[in-house]
Amino acid sequence: MRQVYLDYSATTPVKEEVLSAMLPYFTEKFGNPSSLYSQGLEAKAALDQARAQVAKLIHADPKEIYFTGCGSEADNWAVFGAAQALKDKGNHIITTRIEHHAMLHSCAFLEKNGYEVTYLDVQPDGLVDPAELEKAITDKTILISVMMVNNEVGTVEPIKELAAIAKKHGILFHTDAVQALANVPIDVKDLGVDLMSMSAHKIYGPKGVGALYMRKGLRIANYLHGGAQEMGRRAGTENLASIIGFGKAAELAEANMEKHISHCKELRDYLIERVTSEIPDTFVNGTMEHRHPGNANITFKYIEGESILLLLDYKGIAVSTGSACSSKSLEPSHVLTALGVPVEMIHGTVRFTVGDFTTKEDIDYVIESLKEIVAKLRALSPVNGEKGW
Ligand SMILES: *Cc1c(COP(=O)(O)O)cnc(C)c1O
């Protein structure tokens, strides 16, 4: 059976070149970067090279890149590190309703510990209104965190404008760029962000490694305490092989960015065009204008996204509903809720995300399968057409 993977926003396969770069670091190049003899020095040099590769992808200085255990850790570190370091200045944090759970649950934890958090609404197209951010700022605000690209609907937020507002008020600005990395060009200096989270497994690197960009001169509280790794800011012997893989993935992403973006956009637009024109009662969520090149978030009225997912899985096709994390529960997606999508339509929503290994034939197969599945489910659906939604 044909296998079609359309869930690149959940994770990506490790590219061949990335794996070959990593392998020697499990075996013959197993040295600890903190050791002072040759093997250690070689490991340290490889670590520095990976740091430079990640830095180059976002136009940062290598000294501004701190490797972490994942994108979630980078988000946690940014929020808790800033909250701790600035607790004498204030206790108010501003974020949005559409953030990843790594951010939302960190903020919820802080709320239980004396901090106040404002969750900004988004407009129906999924974008944050900069005027709303400005209104939410108080003299107690110490951190603003807005994600660069949303993982469910793919909206690309106006980070440069939002960061400028933070700067005007002397407030730290963090952005979760896990979905943005390699999918939109990023220049941290031009954007004016202070802190930025990244993850390797969303850009064809290995799982279990991420990074936090921290602007030169900025100091937030450390999150992992122990040895002097990561310039004394993040303890623990480095996950060297994975970090090497992250570096290689970043190098490839930089070299292939234009090709990657146009390839994804072409297939994504083809998928959206065919679904919305050939399957009645379907619509796309989130702005098309400022959007992740591979994201198609589509509602199929009158049916359950979970049923579509399962029937697609029988045909070898992998997609997700709402967000990957909430797909095991019946909780409607917090992102689609924030966009104002009615709850019954949220349940009929599927996220398709294409990537470098997706082909036009894959999309044709998905469309043919979808047409059959949607017709079958709608024929069974008791609410088909009757409720007027
Ligand atoms: C995947 C993802 C994360 C978490 O990254 P991990 O490396 O899986 O912990 C955080 N934020 C966004 C937007 C993501 O898509």
Side-chain angles (χ1 to χ4, degrees), residues 1 29 38 48 53 107 119 129 138 143 156 216 306 332 348:
M1 188 173 52
K29 298 185 180 183
S38 308
D48 287 344
Q53 287 164 322
C107 287
Y119 299 90
D129 180 357
T138 72
L143 177 71
V156 181
K216 208 178 286 174
E306 260 97 70

Side-chain angles (χ1 to χ4, degrees), residues 270 274 359-370:
Y270 177 63
R274 285 201 62 190
T359 64
K360 187 159 179 287
E361 291 69 39
D362 288 340
I363 305 292
D364 288 331
Y365 176 64
V366 170
I367 300 292
E368 292 321 313
S369 307
L370 266 178

Side-chain angles (χ1 to χ4, degrees), residues 343-364:
V343 67
E344 65 277 12
M345 298 213 196
I346 293 176
H347 286 307
T349 302
V350 177
R351 181 187 73 178
F352 306 87
T353 41
V354 305
D356 284 355
F357 300 110
T358 313
T359 64
K360 187 159 179 287
E361 291 69 39
D362 288 340
I363 305 292
D364 288 331

Side-chain angles (χ1 to χ4, degrees), residues 171-201:
I171 300 165
L172 279 189
F173 190 89
H174 166 257
T175 187
D176 173 340
V178 173
Q179 291 291 336
L181 197 66
N183 291 306
V184 298
I186 298 177
D187 180 330
V188 282
K189 305 242 156 44
D190 180 58
L191 288 170
V193 299
D194 299 302
L195 296 154
M196 187 175 91
S197 304
M198 297 168 268
S199 180
H201 77 101

Side-chain angles (χ1 to χ4, degrees), residues 23-190:
L23 285 177
Y25 292 89
F26 289 105
T27 51
E28 73 262 32
K29 298 185 180 183
F30 66 90
N32 186 327
S34 299
S35 300
L36 296 177
Y37 42 81
S38 308
Q39 281 108 316
L41 302 179
E42 277 166 33
K44 176 73 167 63
L47 176 63
D48 287 344
Q49 194 201 349
R51 201 183 304 285
Q53 287 164 322
V54 172
K56 191 152 179 262
L57 180 58
I58 60 166
H59 297 88
D61 189 285
K63 291 198 185 73
E64 298 173 310
I65 305 297
Y66 298 85
F67 288 112
T68 62
C70 54
S72 299
E73 186 192 320
D75 282 346
N76 276 253
W77 185 7
V79 179
F80 294 130
Q84 175 70 24
L86 300 170
K87 65 177 190 299
D88 294 334
K89 189 167 170 251
N91 68 341
H92 180 231
I93 291 166
I94 302 173
T95 185
T96 78
R97 292 199 187 284
I98 64 166
E99 299 299 309
H100 190 271
H101 282 139
M103 181 58 54
L104 293 177
H105 292 172
S106 297
C107 287
F109 180 84
L110 284 178
E111 282 182 287
K112 289 200 188 118
N113 288 277
Y115 288 83
E116 279 173 36
V117 182
T118 300
Y119 299 90
L120 297 175
D121 283 319
V122 295
Q123 302 168 93
D125 63 3
L127 296 175
V128 172
D129 180 357
E132 291 296 313
L133 171 62
E134 187 118 42
K135 271 193 259 168
I137 293 172
T138 72
D139 56 1
K140 291 266 183 282
T141 310
I142 50 173
L143 177 71
I144 296 168
S145 178
V146 178
M147 71 199 318
M148 197 175 293
V149 173
N150 179 268
N151 46 304
E152 288 192 43
V153 290
T155 48
V156 181
E157 300 296 335
I159 296 303
K160 188 173 175 173
E161 211 178 325
L162 301 171
I165 293 170
K167 191 162 190 185
K168 190 173 84 182
H169 292 268
I171 300 165
L172 279 189
F173 190 89
H174 166 257
T175 187
D176 173 340
V178 173
Q179 291 291 336
L181 197 66
N183 291 306
V184 298
I186 298 177
D187 180 330
V188 282
K189 305 242 156 44
D190 180 58

Side-chain angles (χ1 to χ4, degrees), residues 264-274 288 293 295:
C264 290
K265 249 191 199 150
E266 192 181 320
L267 293 175
R268 189 270 317 268
D269 290 347
Y270 177 63
L271 175 106
I272 289 181
E273 166 56 27
R274 285 201 62 190
M288 281 307 296
N295 176 292

